[in-house]
Amino acid sequence: MRQIPRSQEPELRGAAATDGADGLPGQNLSRLTSGEQVRLYLRRLIFDGVLRQGQRVPQDAVARALGVSRIPVREALIALEREGWITIIAHRGAFVNALDASSVHDHYELYGLFYGFAVRRAVERQGAELGERLAPLQKELAAAGDPEALQELSARFHRLIVEAAQSPRLRNMLKQMTGIVPGNFFELVPGVQAVEKRGTAAIVRAVRKADAQTAEREYVAMLRAQGDLVVELFRGRGMFERPDAEAAPASP
């Protein structure tokens, strides 16, 4: 995929094809298919306000901007509809869905439930020894000031817990979830670095005591607090507002 020719596609100006997974384990862009990269790019357009709620997705313009055929664009739209970002209306096009605070809160509540379950299972199966493995990583995370380093350390922390849970079913379910903030989570969301550092420290303290229930509660609390910050960010960016003139036609 080539760089976006901004002069040729003014309607897409201001977007960047980058991705993150809210500080949680994600995929490497270099390993993604064209359709997956288009999906991430479209999510960034929505995040940057280039595509607003109710607007039709300009499929031909996206294909030209990224130097791909319409096939990966259609693949991306199907995936985004499954994720709830857009609605495809036959013979009319794809339209950006309304995003509300409740859906963002639900996203992080689900993350909390999944990762809370993971840490509970991990402690039940590995005991306090897991805390000794997590502690050095959490210490590095606490000292990190660079968002790139923090994102990498955070992903390693969460991945270690998921691996320690030894639950293929859980791993498969987590693969179905995608980050709601495209880009570096710790760079884009004000206040989230402090939440991550406090939360992971509390999780490690509980794990070192082999206290699975407290570790689970701390995970849920950390991700709920992160969700609150993302809601605040999205509200400030006007992402919960639908321009009346651009409202999508109602589904039949």
Side-chain angles (χ1 to χ4, degrees):
M1 297 174 69
R2 66 171 185 260
Q3 290 294 320
I4 304 162
R6 298 182 189 277
S7 61
Q8 297 177 24
E9 306 294 347
E11 67 270 40
L12 304 184
R13 194 168 294 149
T18 58
D19 181 60
D22 301 353
L24 302 174
Q27 295 173 294
N28 188 320
L29 271 178
S30 64
R31 299 178 181 176
L32 299 182
T33 66
S34 295
E36 289 169 333
Q37 292 188 48
V38 175
R39 174 179 62 84
L40 300 179
Y41 173 69
L42 287 170
R43 282 176 45 216
R44 186 61 188 247
L45 290 178
I46 297 169
F47 180 76
D48 285 345
V50 180
L51 289 178
R52 304 298 297 273
Q53 294 173 28
Q55 286 185 318
R56 187 193 305 267
V57 177
Q59 298 180 44
D60 290 335
V62 169
R64 288 194 300 270
L66 298 179
V68 299
S69 70
R70 290 199 61 177
I71 294 175
V73 176
R74 286 195 292 270
E75 291 174 352
L77 293 174
I78 292 169
L80 288 169
E81 185 173 45
R82 284 199 305 264
E83 295 171 9
W85 287 95
I86 67 165
T87 294
I88 299 173
I89 301 176
H91 310 299
R92 305 186 76 174
F95 297 85
V96 179
N97 282 343
L99 186 67
D100 57 37
S102 294
S103 62
V104 176
H105 281 304
D106 288 349
H107 179 88
Y108 285 90
E109 287 288 332
L110 286 170
Y111 261 141
L113 291 173
F114 282 136
Y115 280 91
F117 174 82
V119 77
R120 176 158 53 86
R121 279 287 184 264
V123 173
E124 290 170 355
R125 289 170 177 168
Q126 302 204 15
E129 184 272 334
L130 175 62
E132 301 309 312
R133 294 167 56 200
L134 288 170
L137 186 54
Q138 193 280 320
K139 187 175 181 180
E140 284 187 72
L141 191 153
D146 175 62
E148 293 281 341
L150 186 55
Q151 178 130 314
E152 192 272 334
L153 289 164
S154 175
R156 285 170 53 194
F157 182 93
H158 300 301
R159 190 178 298 114
L160 194 160
I161 289 172
V162 171
E163 290 172 353
Q166 300 174 2
S167 173
R169 178 72 172 171
L170 174 64
R171 285 198 300 270
N172 288 335
M173 294 183 74
L174 283 170
K175 285 180 182 177
Q176 305 306 311
M177 296 191 69
T178 59
I180 203 169
V181 177
N184 189 309
F185 186 61
F186 298 104
E187 181 178 17
L188 293 171
V189 185
V192 79
Q193 292 192 26
V195 170
E196 182 82 4
K197 291 178 179 183
R198 286 196 303 269
T200 52
I203 291 165
V204 170
R205 285 196 297 270
V207 172
R208 294 180 87 165
K209 297 175 182 177
D211 187 344
Q213 289 186 337
T214 298
E216 182 177 16
R217 285 198 303 270
E218 294 292 353
Y219 237 127
V220 171
M222 178 179 71
L223 287 162
R224 182 177 294 141
Q226 290 183 354
D228 291 341
L229 292 173
V230 173
V231 166
E232 186 178 336
L233 172 67
F234 282 12
R235 185 172 285 123
R237 295 175 71 96
M239 293 178 66
F240 297 144
E241 300 170 5
R242 173 182 291 194
D244 293 335
E246 299 290 347
S251 301

